[in-house]
Amino acid sequence: MSRKPRKEHSMLLYETIMQLRDVDECFRFFQDICSPAELYAMEQRFEVAKLLHDGQVYTDIMEQTKASSATISRVNRVLNYGAGGLNDLFERQNDSAEPEED
């Protein structure tokens, strides 16, 4: 559960994101709303989170992503003590990647 209160204007952003129809539309939306530096930071943090979730170690993640140890540490803290959104997503991705049993 998030520790920050939900604000109506913030919820409108998230509701709008949920209406994006495909990856291309999502990409264009974020290109419009974020600066290149903001996009790079989010993309890098997401990649770090995925690698941490997959069990990679800091040194390998630093080499692969060029992220600082401080960024990796922060993302690790979010995975362990955050609102759980990233972990939920990664688990959903893992579930959809596993073949169904008969």
Side-chain angles (χ1 to χ4, degrees):
M1 170 88 68
S2 177
R3 290 176 226 145
K4 294 183 179 183
R6 295 179 180 182
K7 298 180 182 173
E8 189 174 326
H9 67 276
S10 297
M11 295 310 292
L12 179 59
L13 169 64
Y14 304 121
E15 290 166 2
T16 300
I17 291 169
M18 293 291 297
Q19 294 176 18
L20 297 171
R21 289 178 276 203
D22 56 34
V23 173
D24 181 61
E25 190 172 55
C26 185
F27 177 80
R28 290 184 291 114
F29 173 82
F30 280 98
Q31 289 284 315
D32 287 346
I33 203 165
C34 297
S35 71
E38 290 167 332
L39 278 173
Y40 176 80
M42 286 194 300
E43 291 165 353
Q44 184 183 58
R45 288 178 187 149
F46 184 80
E47 185 178 8
V48 166
K50 181 70 174 133
L51 292 170
L52 284 167
H53 185 267
D54 291 346
Q56 296 282 329
V57 295
Y58 276 41
T59 52
D60 292 341
I61 295 170
M62 288 173 67
E63 187 175 308
Q64 290 178 53
T65 66
K66 307 303 181 212
S68 68
S69 60
T71 296
I72 298 168
S73 178
R74 181 190 179 287
V75 172
N76 191 50
R77 193 168 44 253
V78 166
L79 287 174
N80 290 309
Y81 306 108
L86 282 168
N87 286 316
D88 289 348
L89 178 64
F90 294 143
E91 292 306 315
R92 189 175 313 133
Q93 287 176 337
N94 287 344
D95 290 346
S96 68
E98 294 175 2
E100 291 185 28
E101 294 181 27
D102 293 323

